[in-house]
Amino acid sequence: MNRPIGPLDLPDVADFESRFKNLAVVAFVVVIILVLRLFYLQVLEGETYYDLSIHNRIRLRYLMPLRGLILDRHGRMLVSNRPSFSVYVDMDYVRDQDRLANVLAGILGFTPEEITAQMKLGKKEAYSNRIRVKSDISWAELSLAETHRYEIPGLVIQAEPKRDYVYPGLASHVLGYLGEISKDELKQDSFSGTFVGEYIGKSGIEKAAESYLRGRKGGRHIEVDAAGRETTELTQVDALPGDNVYLSLDLELQRAIEEQLQDKAGAIVAMDPLTGEVLGMASSPGFDQNIFVQGITTETWKAIRDNRFNPLQNRAIQGQYPPGSIYKIVTALAALSEGVITPNTLLDCHGAYKLGNRTYHCWKTWGHGRVDLKKAITGSCDVFFYQVGQRLGVDVIARYAREFGLAEKTGIVLETEREGLIPTTGWKLRRFGIPWQKGETLSAAIGQSFNLVTPLQAAVLISTVANGGSVPVPGLIRRIETAQGRLVSSFEPVIRKTTSISAAHMDFVRNALEQVIRDPSGTGKKASVENLSVAGKTGTVQVVALKDPKRRMKTEDVPYEFRDHAWFVCFAPVENPKIALSILLEHGGHAGAVAGPLAKNILEAWLRINGLENQQEHFAGADIRFIE
């Protein structure tokens, strides 16, 4: 039975209206919040988020410049560049690191674990979130990487120029090598604009001319998709290549010099004695600079570092050795200038000289007899120079040595040059707190004792004698040009100072040095060259004292580290000097026997290179040209 609906059964209209109003308020508040948020994002922060979206879509890719070339004096290429490709991972777009690691491992010959570790610990570029996984990949690796590039987000293949040392190992210490820039170097103003991972000159000309060789970066603004893949190039600014550096080295002479140093430890410097230009400079053993181009491995670096012969040392400017008998040139000129002897002074040599309770021996055990200065230089008589040194005193000898540029850096552009040492009484007292002993002067007078010179300093010494008394600054760079051939800078010969020695005394010593080579009794006769007048001086440096100086052992019977060092300095032609040589062979043995023939071979090569081997008349009657 149906019952009529009463008033109490109708919906509560007032409650419904209340709920609707509350819902409307909530909806209104939400809309207001959305509008305000939209206003904030679109208006107040619109520009910021627009920039972020553009940054996420548009990327800057730097274009690395071609490094400047290094050429010899005739424009022959010594250091160039070659194309290469490197694999990077852009971490902003990597979604699946495991998959990427597996794919790259198959391409690059690494394990997935190595790739993952590289992505986590690798050095990020300062201007992006990219990490270099492998540089200078092979063509096979490049082909595989290109195949997968559009499948894997974050994979980037970058074209990059790499340094190419055209003749691996040739002039390695002069040219130098490249290495990755360090954190300390990045802070220096001179490397402004350089980023993490870039390679800069670490030694040699590569370092000395870094600011010229480096060039200037370019860049490309590109549009990328959500996976970081390039879709469109928007703008591009080309990189500017570095300047080209022309050296004073002669490629063919450099080769000839290095051939003479094969399997030997030592250094050779060839110099124009009039201008100071370095025609050739070699230090042995050397190294292949190309091993540094890809980034040297720990194992390779350890092998180089632990090599007992220290191949990274540039012995020509860093090796410091007692000069031995080549120092007698200084002692002779000092004695003539000070008037303690004349060219006609006669002194006796019976194979030994006694001072106090000690006996000082001559290299010629039975002695040279009664000799004057010319014969003493020709036969390298130690006893003669003991007596001359005693008359002069060590401080006077040192003063003249400094006139020839010894005990100070030569001024060559290469860094890490050592300055050597020329002792004085004051130096020893300061250094050891012990007064100078009279007997030490005798040793110093023949280039032993505390005396130390570099092969380059020895080249400057003999060049100064050759040109009549002007001390040249060794020059390595002739000129610098842009890639288009415009001259940037040229380098003229520089004379550092002029000695106080008279022309007459210089002439006398030059004549005596010629007899060292020409005379059958001369210690340097093995350096004699047909159709070329040569003046020079040998020097044999005792490394350890002999228990019995009268008992001479054959070089091959002496342990390597105890063998004498061998020096030879010379210049030619005597009438009009064009080339000066300084040769140092570590533990080479008797200088005249081992270093003299090397000088002969180099001089013959120089004649051949310049087409002068059959032109004796080319030098006949020429007048020596002194530098004022």
Side-chain angles (χ1 to χ4, degrees), residues 185-380:
E185 288 167 330
L186 281 168
K187 298 175 184 177
Q188 299 174 16
D189 292 340
S190 57
F191 293 108
S192 176
T194 307
F195 302 119
V196 172
E198 288 189 34
Y199 280 69
I200 61 170
K202 291 291 186 176
S203 72
I205 292 297
E206 292 279 28
K207 182 175 183 179
E210 171 67 26
S211 60
Y212 292 102
L213 292 166
R214 190 187 311 161
R216 194 171 69 191
K217 296 183 185 71
R220 299 167 61 233
H221 275 108
I222 60 172
E223 193 174 80
V224 297
D225 60 18
R229 294 184 289 258
E230 180 178 342
T231 59
T232 309
E233 181 181 293
L234 302 177
T235 61
Q236 175 170 323
V237 176
D238 293 332
L240 291 179
D243 297 326
N244 299 331
V245 177
Y246 289 79
L247 302 183
S248 59
L249 298 185
D250 184 302
L251 171 60
E252 294 304 317
L253 184 61
Q254 182 72 26
R255 280 173 161 170
I257 287 172
E258 298 202 9
E259 284 177 10
Q260 300 305 310
L261 278 176
Q262 268 192 330
D263 304 321
K264 301 178 181 70
I268 298 177
V269 178
M271 181 183 292
D272 184 326
L274 299 181
T275 66
E277 283 192 323
V278 177
L279 306 175
M281 178 187 287
S283 175
S284 180
F287 58 94
D288 180 359
Q289 309 98 304
N290 287 311
I291 64 175
F292 293 92
V293 172
Q294 293 181 334
I296 192 169
T297 64
T298 303
E299 293 76 17
T300 303
W301 174 251
K302 188 174 184 299
I304 294 174
R305 184 196 63 196
D306 296 341
N307 188 313
R308 62 182 289 215
F309 294 108
N310 196 3
L312 291 181
Q313 181 191 27
N314 185 353
R315 287 168 165 80
I317 64 172
Q318 294 175 305
Q320 300 180 109
Y321 311 89
S325 291
I326 67 171
Y327 195 68
K328 291 172 182 175
I329 297 172
V330 175
T331 305
L333 288 168
L336 289 172
S337 298
E338 291 295 310
V340 299
I341 62 169
T342 70
N344 299 317
T345 299
L346 296 172
L347 298 174
D348 292 320
C349 171
H350 301 295
Y353 181 73
K354 193 167 184 178
L355 180 66
N357 59 0
R358 183 172 177 183
T359 300
Y360 295 82
H361 294 271
C362 186
W363 72 267
K364 194 172 184 179
T365 55
W366 57 90
H368 290 86
R370 195 165 181 80
V371 294
D372 57 17
L373 180 57
K374 181 176 288 187
K375 289 182 179 179
I377 293 174
T378 302
S380 197

